[in-house]
Amino acid sequence: MITASFYTEGKKLTGFQVEGHSGLADAGEDILCAAVTSAVRLSECAVNDVLGLEAGVKVKAEKALISLKIPGGLSQQNDSFCQTLLTALMLYFSRLQEEYPKNIIVMEV
């Protein structure tokens, strides 16, 4: 099962951690893992490469884990963008959870 945890401070999302494999299909054929991986990579590229924020990203391949932490002290524009991005990612994963409830769980922590 994939576990997607979204971190909050007050009402703000500060990052996420995604861990595990969906078990929906064999490696290389799993559409749910591909969808999650693609969304995570897009989010990381948007924050680090487009905005140039250098968010803290940790990858542990042996645990099938990736996490991203949004840096503090952002301009209002960058903060707003990051909030929109993380909210959209959480909503997307929640919709995947509705479709595949045995394979992905989404939570706020």
Side-chain angles (χ1 to χ4, degrees), residues 42-105:
L42 175 66
S43 299
E44 185 271 328
C45 286
V47 172
N48 285 333
D49 300 327
V50 175
L51 294 179
L53 297 181
E54 298 184 29
V57 177
K58 294 181 184 175
V59 177
K60 295 183 180 178
E62 70 279 356
K63 292 185 176 185
L65 180 144
I66 187 166
S67 64
L68 181 138
K69 172 99 170 110
I70 301 296
L74 299 179
S75 69
Q76 183 177 358
Q77 182 178 4
N78 283 348
D79 184 60
S80 178
F81 179 86
C82 288
Q83 290 306 301
T84 299
L85 181 68
L86 290 178
T87 300
L89 184 65
M90 187 167 62
L91 178 61
Y92 176 62
F93 286 169
S94 295
R95 290 194 177 155
L96 288 175
Q97 180 180 333
E98 290 172 7
E99 202 170 334
Y100 302 98
K102 295 180 181 177
N103 305 93
I104 183 171
I105 186 166

Side-chain angles (χ1 to χ4, degrees), residues 19-31:
E19 182 176 17
H21 293 286
S22 77
L24 191 63
D26 292 335
E29 297 178 11
D30 193 320
I31 60 170

